[in-house]
Every structure is written in structure tokens, then in C-alpha cells.
Amino acid sequence: MSTGADNHHWVRLAGSAAADGWEVALTDGIEGWFHTGLLVGTLTPGESRVVELGSREGIVVPLSGGDVSLHCLRDGVEGSATLAGRESVWAGAADTAYLPTGSTLTLTGAGDGPVRVAICLATDEIGTQPPPFHHRRAADVPVELRGAGIASRQVRNFGVPGVLDANRMIACEVLTPAGNWSSWPPHKHDTERPGVESELEEIYYFQTRSTDPRGTDAIGYQRVYAAGERPIDVLAEVRTDDVVLVPHGWHGPAVAAPDADLYYLNVMAGPGPERAWLICDDPAHAWVRETWPDQPIDPRLT
């Protein structure tokens, strides 16, 4: 039975990872964490922030509020865009911008109200020229309906291989309706096996939304457990702005409570020679996939 014995190391509750004006600042200094990072913060109209990416590449994702303008400078090459705001993460896909390794990023709130924005980060030290700055509009984000029945969820694939040209970064958004299970069946990607499995660490950044008109406490749950000899035991109750780090092991389910929708932003990267998102299911639960052809997709997603 899980005791969540490793929650203290791999779970960051809202406010506990704040630094330098960011409400979530996961960059350096986490023991056993090497390849990914995340910044989440709020910009008021006209407020600017500068971020030096250094040895990381990034993706800017507006989460809620007004527009955000950005300027990217790398080796004298400039890129700029205004990313359209969205009411919330529940309102549909967002504009995004890819930032090459070594860029200097300037973000500015460009609307009439505050904008909440995330910057996904991936360590990129493979020594090859990074792809150029790229602005992807929300209408061009591929949206996938994954699973079936109570395992139905929506995946917005703005930063995955085959969609985004990047050196290391893999990122997406997942929406799970109230009462459904996501990241199911439990799976892992912690061992490099060409063509079979990738070695990737993964960030889950959560938001929750009550479906109860009374606005009751909106919660979800996330599970991570050991696969092989490396121990890990995480069982976390999550709310808006909570983060779970997955360095290795089986992870799933991410469970939406019956009265709360669950959102998470995934950021993945690893040391392998190929940028690929290849997973391996826990054999004890892999059979679940065989049931999906006989079940409808949750109509709340269609």
C-alpha cells in the first residue's frame, strides 16, 4: 500500500516552488533532476520579464488572461510574436512559441488585464544547431482524443515530435473530465531502448476546476511507483498550481475527482540520442487498452 513516502521530494504544492517573482520556478537545484524545468507567472499589462535560457530550449504557453508579446534574441537573430490570450486552460488550445537554446526571452503583458503564462524548459546540450524560433497559432495545434469510457481525455499536442521541430523538448496539455482517469494505463519511459522506450523525465503541472455550482474543493490525484530496482512512491492530492515530478517509474493514474475537471501541462526531455516519446505500459494494467474499441469517447470531450 502506498504511503506517498517520496511526496516530499517529488511533489511541489502551490506556492512552495515560488522564486524570483515566479509562482512556479523549477530550474536548478533538485537532487536527481536533470533535463526539464518550468516557470509559471503572471504579468500585468505592460510588465516585462527577461529570461536567459542558457543551455535550455523553451516553449511559451499562455495559460489564462490577455495577450502576451515576446521577443527572442539568439546570436543576433531575432524572433517576435504576440500570443493570443485565452480565458483559461479549459477554453481550448493556446498560441505557443518555441525558443531555441541560448535565447534571451523578453515577455510583456500586452492586453488590458493580467496574463498567466508558462515557460516549458528542456536541457539541450547535444551540440547541434537548434531549430529557429517558431510561433504556432492555437488553430494549428493538433488535438487528440485519447482513451475511451472513463479513461477518455483530450490531448493538445503543440510540442510533440512530428508537430514541433525541437532538439529535446516534448510538451503537451491534457484535459480530463470530472470522474475520469488519465495517464492510464500506468506507463513508464525511463529506459533507453531504441524503437521501444525512451528515457524521459516528466513534469506534471496541474490545474483543477470544480464542476459543483457551490464551488467545492477541486482536487485530483497522481500516482507514481517503482518499476524495477529504483524506488519511488508518490501518491499526491493535487490542486491548481501543484506540480508532480516523475524522474522514473510507472506513473498513472492521474485521477479527476467526480466533481472536478483536471488539467495538466506535461514537459518531458531526456538524455537519449533520439527525441522520441515511446512508452511502456505496466503489464498488470496494459489489457485496459484492449477494451477501448468497445467503449465510446466521453461525450463531454466530443
Side-chain angles (χ1 to χ4, degrees), residues 30-49:
I30 302 173
E31 183 181 357
W33 196 255
F34 308 103
H35 305 291
T36 59
L38 179 69
L39 296 170
V40 178
T42 302
L43 297 172
T44 57
E47 179 186 0
S48 293
R49 271 185 217 184

Side-chain angles (χ1 to χ4, degrees), residues 1-13 221-226 231-237 244-245:
M1 179 180 296
S2 171
T3 61
D6 295 318
N7 283 22
H8 69 285
H9 192 79
W10 301 117
V11 178
R12 300 292 187 273
L13 299 180
Y221 294 88
Q222 170 76 342
R223 179 77 171 111
V224 187
Y225 57 101
I232 188 167
D233 178 12
V234 171
L235 180 58
E237 184 176 283
V244 174
L245 305 176

Side-chain angles (χ1 to χ4, degrees), residues 33 187 189 200-204 244-246 251 266-268:
W33 196 255
H187 57 281
H189 36 70
L200 301 167
E201 61 183 27
E202 183 169 14
I203 294 173
Y204 280 70
V244 174
L245 305 176
V246 183
H251 46 287
N266 280 150
V267 185
M268 291 170 276

Side-chain angles (χ1 to χ4, degrees), residues 76-208:
V77 179
E78 297 183 284
S80 61
T82 296
L83 307 186
R86 55 179 171 175
E87 182 180 357
S88 71
V89 297
W90 318 102
D95 280 15
T96 59
Y98 169 78
L99 313 168
T101 307
S103 298
T104 297
L105 167 68
T106 303
L107 287 175
T108 304
D112 296 329
V115 56
R116 191 163 176 76
V117 64
I119 307 174
C120 310
L121 300 169
T123 301
D124 173 24
E125 295 178 330
I126 60 177
T128 62
Q129 183 72 11
F133 172 85
H134 177 69
H135 173 203
R136 181 179 303 278
R137 300 191 182 277
D140 298 324
V141 173
V143 177
E144 172 190 3
L145 298 181
R146 190 175 295 173
I150 62 169
S152 302
R153 59 271 200 190
Q154 181 193 91
V155 185
R156 300 166 181 164
N157 288 312
F158 61 83
V160 303
V163 174
L164 176 71
D165 189 12
N167 275 353
R168 289 297 190 189
M169 173 76 68
I170 299 174
C172 65
E173 296 180 310
V174 181
L175 270 69
T176 308
N180 283 10
W181 286 32
S182 192
S183 289
W184 191 254
H187 57 281
K188 74 180 184 76
H189 36 70
D190 63 8
T191 303
E192 195 66 29
R193 296 187 292 159
V196 177
E197 183 182 355
S198 308
E199 183 181 353
L200 301 167
E201 61 183 27
E202 183 169 14
I203 294 173
Y204 280 70
Y205 163 78
F206 291 96
Q207 291 195 16
T208 56

